[in-house]
Structure formats: structure tokens, C-alpha cells
């Protein structure tokens, strides 16, 4: 462990632990940030890229991995891509150019959705929130040009500047693929016009973060009546093969406005389709177009350069063959022994949580027992899944076709499989994240927690670290995910993942008061020239608080417990150095609080923190007992 100045911790835990690192850490030119999570990602990427390059000499035995390697090689062949030029995209654009009416568009709509093109309604399949054993059809609004609705506010100076950067990039791309300057300007103007029709009717990030507002089931007839411009029932029937009884609408305001958005606006809608097609596909063409097509996202994040050819090819491959790449990584670099060891640790943390729930002082007995029942039903998945979905047996790459054509067809296969799940039993064991991902998640509709192999390494977890360090790292992450079952969103779902109120009125009111205290604690905290939105980040802050508190309780049960090691590693896992642009973007759209504040404020909520480091009223890290927020 690095030597940490104890006095500095009294001033700022995060800076005391990470200050020296922050002084020398360099943000890679092709990334917006570096640090704990990011460094692990970089190391894993390098290892897997080396392996994929080796596979070009010696093919892997797994036929699914062989297809992934084919895509990697095709994506890396920039000489061929430069030679093919714009031809692969121009074939696709002809389909959109020929459209003359909504009736025309309707004929191709389902196929366009399968191919991943922009759509006026975004359809998805997920567990039915009121009957989580069955997959249901969801409908949402399409994305906006700017990253979040608030960027369009008149008093937000970033909006116009970003829209200008987007327009400059888009104009370059349109001219490169064959449009003259006047045509390009017209396409951009009309796309912005159509985008402006969407803006008033979509949710802000804060609203999207509230799961209780997502479930708005409508009968098919009610849903189809939202517009006369397009036949919503017909496209649904083409996607899932039948007519469902209901559609779950996540943005009812948008659907109610759909007819007015589309009516008499076909020309600008068509431009919006064309521009989105160019933006979505340009990165799969020449290297010049790939570089141009990332200008806007780099402006948003502050990254200086696009990723190199090798990384581009690997990221594309990992995105499409995620479970195949994850399975390979997990089995080769993680293994069954570590999988069993961490699974034991997760079960241990669940037991700690049960004990804390049983002795909770503010929950009523009825709610308490139901919370424990929810924990008893919690699905635990560690390392890598036991089985890869059948989808990956059907993803094949044709080296004779262009990269764009291959990616399109792979997307069609994946989307057909997605829509085929409608009304089928939910597969609780199906992962939604590759095992090679440095992250973890809780799925409220399935009541499962998932810990991919990639996060299960130092500084989060290592046999070389003390138990207190491991609890301050992976222990807190594990308990964080368990806590999501009882945050302001997760608490709405029962042990089977159904949206079902299992709380008494009194307990609900008490919980809401505590959640409001957490909102107030973070709301308005200054960071990167902006302020934290306490309501947007409340679910993650509740999970952070519960996770740290439970991990601390578990650490204290160990014979080698060290509070200092526990809190120091907690601060270490959050180390991050990022561009100002990226930090400001995250403050606007991310449900997580900035890393430094996660480390410091949650430590300040633990009474033990002040005892361990002898922190008193005159120290900057001091927080009065009555201001410390503890929910779980």
C-alpha cells in the first residue's frame, strides 16, 4: 500500500490517497479519462488485442470465436476499406433517397429497424415489469442530437456550441459521401428542425432515471391510435410476428405527440433518416470518414484523437460478439477457482445484508421480512455465464462482403433474435454485460446481481491484498449492487422482479424521507464548474451508502480488520483523472456522482471513518453526526 499522510486524510480523503497519482497521471489521447476502472479496461483491452492478433496465426477452436476473429480482421483492414470507399454506404442511402411518403417508408420500416437505422419509435424487448417471468414489448422515443434535453435550454450556453460542432462534422461527412454543399446544408437544417419537434416531448435525464414512470402499458389499439401517419400495429406485427395485447410505453408524452411530430413533416423526417444513416455508418467506411465521424463525440468528451485501427477493430468486435469475447476472457484469465472464491464472498455479503436488515431500526417487521425474502431470491452471477446464448451460434461473417454489410447483417440477426423473445419466458441467467467488462450491475426486473470477471482484480480484489482492502474494494462494489435491490428504484420491485409495492405506507414514507436526505446531501455540490443533481444521482448514492456501510460491517468481522486500509482502498478504487468536458457531460447525463465525491461524502456518512482517522470538528473532513445519511 502506498504511504498515505494521515493528516492529509483529515483534509480530503480522496486527495490524500490519490493526490500524488493525480499529479503524474496522463489521460490517453484517445480517451476522456484515466484511473482505477479505466486502467483495468486498458490492460484487458491490450491483453485481448494481443490474443486476437495471435489468432490470425493460430485460429481458436471455438467456432463462435473464429467468427469474431474474422470480423476483427475485416475491421482492421483499412486498406481494403479505403479502396471500397463510399460504395457500401451509397447502396444503403439509395433506399432512403427513393422514399417519397410515409406510405413508402412503412413498406421498409420493419427492415430498417432490424438493420439498426433511426426510427421515430424505438422498440425493445425486456421483462414485463408487472410479470417479470415473460418478455414484453417496450416503446420509447428516439435519441436527440444533443446528449440530454437540458442542453436545449435557452440558458444553457453549451447547446448552441455543440450543435454547431455537430453541424460542421455532419456537413463534412455528407459532402464526403456525395452530397454537394447546398444539399448538405439543407439536410442538416431539416434534421435540426425534426430534432426540435422531438425535444419538448421527451424526458430529461432525471425523469428517465425514475423506473416507476417507465411502466405505462397500452392496448395495441390505444398505442396504434397515436398516429395516422404510420401503421404502428403493422410494424409491430412484422417485428414480433403477431399482434400483442399490450405495448409498454416508457415515454407517454412523446407517443401522445407523435402524430403532430410526423404530420406534414415527411420531408424533414426523411432528411433526419438520411443524416442519421450517414452518422451511424460512416465509421465503418474509410479511415478519413471514421476520423471525421468521431469529431462531435470527441468534442463532448474532450478526447483528443480517435482510437487507432487496432482498438477500433477490437471494440467493434467486442461489441457484437460480447458474450463470446467475455467467455474466452473469463475462462482463460479468471478461471473456476477465482469464480468460486468470489461467489463465496458475494454470498457472505448477502448474509451480512440479511443480518443488517433483521436488526434494522426503522423498518416495520412486515416490510423487513419481505426485504429478507427478496434477498433469499436474489440471483448471483459471478465471473462469466455458464452458457453463451444461442444467438452467437448464428452470427457469421462473410469476408467477401464489406465491413458495413457484415455489421448490418449481424445486427439483423441479433435484432431478429431479440424480437423473437417476445412473450417467451425470461432467461434469468442471460447476461447483459460481457465478462470482459470492468463493471457490475443489478437488474431489478430479474432480481439478479452480476459481477463480470474483469472487475475482480486489484485494486478491487486480490489475494495479495488484506481482507480490509478487499472489502473496501470489491466488498463495497458487491454490497453496492445488493443495495440497488433497495434503492428508490429497486425497492419498487419484489423478489421475482415484478413492479409490486411490498412496503407498508409508514415504511414507504420513512424511506422517502431518508432518500430525500440523500438527495439533499449531494444536490448542488460544486464540481468541474457545475453542480451535482441530487435527484438524478439518488439511486446510485443510496447504493454507494448501503454498499460501503455493509462492506465495513463485514470487514470488521475479520480478525485482521484495519479501518485505515478499508477506507484508503475505498478511495483508491475511485481514482480518476478526466477532461473537464467529460466531467461536465457526466454531470448532465450520468446517474453516478463524480468519483471524488462518491469517495469522500460516503466515507463521511460512516461514524467509523471519524474514529479511524481521529477526525474532529475543526478538520475539513468532519461532518456532524446529524448530517450523516445512513439508509442501509
Amino acid at each position: 500500500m502506498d504511504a498515505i499522510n494521515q493528516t492529509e486524510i483529515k483534509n480530503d480523503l480522496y486527495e490524500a490517497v490519490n493526490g500524488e497519482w493525480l499529479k503524474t497521471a496522463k489521460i490517453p489521447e484517445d480517451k476522456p479519462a484515466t484511473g482505477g476502472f479505466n486502467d483495468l479496461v486498458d490492460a484487458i483491452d491490450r491483453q485481448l488485442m494481443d490474443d486476437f492478433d495471435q489468432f490470425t496465426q493460430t485460429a481458436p477452436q471455438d467456432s463462435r470465436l473464429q467468427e469474431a476473429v474474422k470480423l476483427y480482421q475485416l475491421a482492421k483492414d483499412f486498406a481494403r476499406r479505403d479502396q471500397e470507399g463510399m460504395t457500401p454506404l451509397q447502396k444503403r442511402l439509395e433506399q432512403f433517397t427513393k422514399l417519397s411518403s410515409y406510405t413508402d417508408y412503412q413498406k421498409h420500416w420493419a427492415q430498417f429497424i432490424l438493420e439498426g437505422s433511426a426510427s421515430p419509435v424505438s422498440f425493445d424487448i425486456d421483462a414485463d415489469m408487472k410479470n417479470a417471468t415473460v418478455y414484453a414489448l417496450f416503446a420509447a422515443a428516439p435519441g436527440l442530437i444533443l446528449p440530454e434535453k437540458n442542453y436545449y435550454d435557452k440558458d444553457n450556453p453549451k447547446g448552441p456550441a455543440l450543435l454547431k460542432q455537430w453541424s460542421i462534422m455532419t456537413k463534412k461527412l455528407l459532402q464526403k459521401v456525395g452530397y454537394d454543399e447546398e444539399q448538405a446544408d439543407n439536410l442538416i437544417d431539416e434534421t435540426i428542425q425534426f430534432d426540435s419537434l422531438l425535444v419538448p416531448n421527451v424526458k430529461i435525464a432525471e425523469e428517465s432515471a425514475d423506473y416507476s414512470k417507465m411502466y405505462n402499458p397500452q392496448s395495441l389499439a390505444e398505442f396504434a391510435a397515436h398516429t395516422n401517419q404510420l401503421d404502428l400495429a403493422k410494424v409491430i406485427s412484422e417485428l414480433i410476428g403477431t399482434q400483442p395485447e399490450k405495448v409498454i410505453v416508457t415515454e407517454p408524452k412523446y407517443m401522445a405527440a407523435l402524430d403532430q411530430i410526423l404530420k406534414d413533416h415527411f420531408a424533414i423526417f426523411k432528411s433526419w433518416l438520411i443524416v442519421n444513416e450517414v452518422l451511424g455508418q460512416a465509421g465503418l467506411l474509410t479511415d478519413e470518414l471514421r476520423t471525421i465521424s468521431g469529431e462531435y463525440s470527441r468534442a463532448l468528451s474532450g478526447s483528443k484523437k480517435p482510437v487507432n485501427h487496432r482498438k477500433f477493430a477490437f471494440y467493434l468486435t467486442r461489441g457484437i460478439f460480447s458474450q463470446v469475447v467475455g467467455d474466452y476472457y473469463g475462462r482463460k484469465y479468471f478461471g473456476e477457482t477465482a469464480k468460486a472464491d468470489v461467489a463465496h464472498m458475494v454470498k457472505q455479503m448477502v448474509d451480512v445484508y440479511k443480518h443488517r436488515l433483521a436488526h434494522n431500526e426503522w423498518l416495520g417487521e412486515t416490510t423487513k421480512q419481505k426485504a429478507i425474502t427478496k434477498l433469499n431470491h436474489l440471483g448471483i452471477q459471478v465471473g462469466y455465464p455458464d452458457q453463451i446464448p444461442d444467438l452467437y451460434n448464428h452470427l457469421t461473417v462473410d469476408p467477401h462482403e464489406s465491413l458495413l454489410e457484415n455489421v448490418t447483417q449481424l445486427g439483423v440477426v441479433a435484432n431478429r433474435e431479440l424480437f423473437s423473445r417476445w412473450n417467451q419466458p425470461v432467461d434469468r441467467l442471460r447476461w447483459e454485460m460481457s465478462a470482459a467488462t470492468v463493471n457490475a450491475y443489478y437488474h431489478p426486473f430479474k432480481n439478479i446481481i452480476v459481477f463480470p470477471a474483469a472487475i475482480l482484480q486489484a485494486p478491487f480484489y486480490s489475494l495479495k491484498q488484506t481482507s480490509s482492502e478487499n472489502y473496501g474494494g470489491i466488498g463495497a462494489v458487491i454490497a453496492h449492487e445488493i443495495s440497488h435491490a433497495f434503492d428508490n428504484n429497486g425497492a419498487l420491485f419484489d423478489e421475482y422482479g415484478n413492479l409490486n409495492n411490498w412496503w407498508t405506507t409508514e415504511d414507504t414514507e420513512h424511506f422517502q424521507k431518508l432518500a430525500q436526505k440523500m438527495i439533499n446531501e449531494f444536490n448542488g455540490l460544486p464540481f468541474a464548474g457545475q453542480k451535482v443533481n441530487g435527484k438524478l444521482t439518488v439511486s446510485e448514492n443510496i447504493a454507494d451508502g448501503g454498499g460501503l456501510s455493509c462492506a465495513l460491517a463485514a470487514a470488521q468481522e475479520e480478525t485482521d480488520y484495519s479501518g485505515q486500509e478499508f477506507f484508503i482502498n475505498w478511495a483508491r478504487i475511485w481514482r480518476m483523472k478526466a477532461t473537464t468536458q467529460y466531467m461536465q457531460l457526466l454531470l448532465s447525463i450520468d446517474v453516478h456522482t463524480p468519483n471524488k465525491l462518491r469517495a469522500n461524502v460516503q466515507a463521511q456518512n460512516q461514524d467509523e471513518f471519524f474514529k479511524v482517522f481521529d477526525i474532529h470538528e475543526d478538520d475539513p473532513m468532519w461532518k456532524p453526526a446529524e448530517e450523516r445519511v445512513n439508509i442501509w
Side-chain angles (χ1 to χ4, degrees), residues 461-477:
Y461 165 79
S462 171
L463 293 172
K464 295 176 183 175
Q465 293 180 171
T466 66
S467 69
S468 292
E469 287 176 292
N470 278 339
Y471 278 114
I474 197 62
V477 172

Side-chain angles (χ1 to χ4, degrees), residues 362-371 491 500-512:
W362 61 268
L363 272 182
E365 197 57 37
T366 306
T367 310
K368 200 181 285 187
Q369 288 308 314
K370 287 185 176 174
N500 177 23
N501 183 17
W502 47 273
W503 292 64
T504 63
T505 305
E506 295 77 17
D507 288 341
T508 298
E509 288 173 359
H510 194 108
F511 175 70
Q512 287 171 344

Side-chain angles (χ1 to χ4, degrees), residues 439-471:
N439 211 330
Y441 70 91
Y442 170 77
H443 196 312
F445 307 174
K446 295 179 180 177
N447 193 29
I448 58 168
I449 47 174
V450 179
F451 300 98
I455 198 173
L456 302 170
Q457 54 186 311
F460 295 94
Y461 165 79
S462 171
L463 293 172
K464 295 176 183 175
Q465 293 180 171
T466 66
S467 69
S468 292
E469 287 176 292
N470 278 339
Y471 278 114

Side-chain angles (χ1 to χ4, degrees), residues 89-389:
L89 177 59
Q90 282 164 345
K91 285 181 188 173
R92 286 188 59 74
L93 287 178
E94 281 174 22
Q95 299 176 76
F96 295 97
T97 306
K98 289 175 184 174
L99 298 175
S100 60
S101 65
Y102 286 121
T103 305
D104 251 4
Y105 175 71
Q106 182 84 45
K107 294 171 191 169
H108 307 278
W109 190 10
Q111 186 61 28
F112 286 156
I113 289 172
L114 292 173
E115 291 173 351
S117 297
S119 169
V121 180
S122 176
F123 292 105
D124 191 20
I125 301 290
D126 207 337
D128 187 326
M129 294 164 73
K130 283 279 181 86
N131 179 17
T133 58
V134 175
Y135 285 116
L137 179 68
F138 286 72
L144 304 173
I145 293 173
L146 298 182
E148 210 276 322
K149 184 174 177 175
N150 286 333
Y151 278 81
Y152 293 87
D153 291 348
K154 288 176 183 174
D155 57 352
N156 189 334
K158 293 197 186 79
L162 284 172
L163 201 55
K164 186 178 179 182
Q165 285 176 308
W166 176 87
S167 300
I168 291 168
M169 174 196 73
T170 305
K171 185 172 181 176
K172 286 186 207 171
L173 290 175
L174 289 170
Q175 289 185 285
K176 290 287 180 188
V177 300
Y179 294 96
D180 63 34
E181 186 172 6
E182 186 181 346
Q183 288 172 320
D185 286 337
N186 185 57
L187 282 166
I188 290 165
D189 288 345
E190 293 192 337
T191 299
I192 292 171
Q193 283 178 51
F194 190 75
D195 184 69
S196 70
L197 297 175
L198 307 179
V199 174
N201 302 295
V202 300
K203 291 180 177 181
I204 59 171
E206 191 181 295
E207 293 168 323
S208 297
D210 185 348
Y211 286 12
S212 67
K213 303 289 195 305
M214 283 172 60
Y215 193 78
N216 304 282
Q218 297 179 358
S219 68
L220 183 62
E222 187 184 355
F223 180 74
H226 284 307
T227 181
N228 296 318
Q229 315 307 312
L230 290 167
D231 190 337
L232 291 165
K234 187 170 189 290
V235 76
I236 286 173
S237 183
E238 289 169 351
L239 290 172
I240 67 172
T242 188
Q243 296 205 334
E245 285 185 13
K246 69 178 178 187
V247 180
I248 300 170
V249 175
T250 59
E251 300 206 39
K253 184 181 175 185
Y254 173 78
M255 289 309 304
L258 183 61
D259 196 66
Q260 288 305 308
I261 289 169
L262 296 175
K263 193 175 181 183
D264 301 326
H265 294 139
F266 181 75
I268 62 174
F269 169 68
K270 178 179 169 179
S271 293
W272 178 80
L273 289 174
I274 291 170
V275 167
N276 274 291
E277 197 64 23
V278 172
L279 294 176
Q281 309 288 2
L284 302 173
L285 299 171
T286 68
D287 193 33
E288 182 187 28
L289 280 176
R290 177 185 79 98
T291 303
I292 294 170
S293 69
E295 287 176 356
Y296 174 60
S297 62
R298 289 195 294 277
L300 274 173
S301 69
S303 299
K304 293 182 175 66
K305 287 184 178 177
V307 296
N308 61 33
H309 291 180
R310 190 172 176 236
K311 276 187 188 176
F312 168 83
F314 174 68
Y315 292 163
L316 179 71
T317 303
R318 186 183 60 191
I320 293 172
F321 288 89
S322 63
Q323 297 300 338
V324 175
V325 175
D327 183 73
Y328 166 77
Y329 171 81
R331 291 179 191 280
K332 180 165 185 181
Y333 296 106
F334 188 62
E336 289 292 338
T337 307
K339 186 174 178 177
D341 185 45
V342 177
H344 171 73
M345 195 173 179
V346 175
K347 285 171 184 159
Q348 187 183 17
M349 292 305 303
V350 170
D351 288 340
V352 169
Y353 221 105
K354 280 184 197 171
H355 178 79
R356 288 174 67 85
L357 279 171
H359 294 84
N360 181 289
E361 293 178 355
W362 61 268
L363 272 182
E365 197 57 37
T366 306
T367 310
K368 200 181 285 187
Q369 288 308 314
K370 287 185 176 174
I372 291 170
T373 297
K374 186 170 184 180
L375 273 185
N376 287 335
H377 283 78
L378 183 70
I380 299 167
Q381 296 172 23
V382 171
Y384 46 89
D386 295 328
Q387 213 169 6
I388 298 177

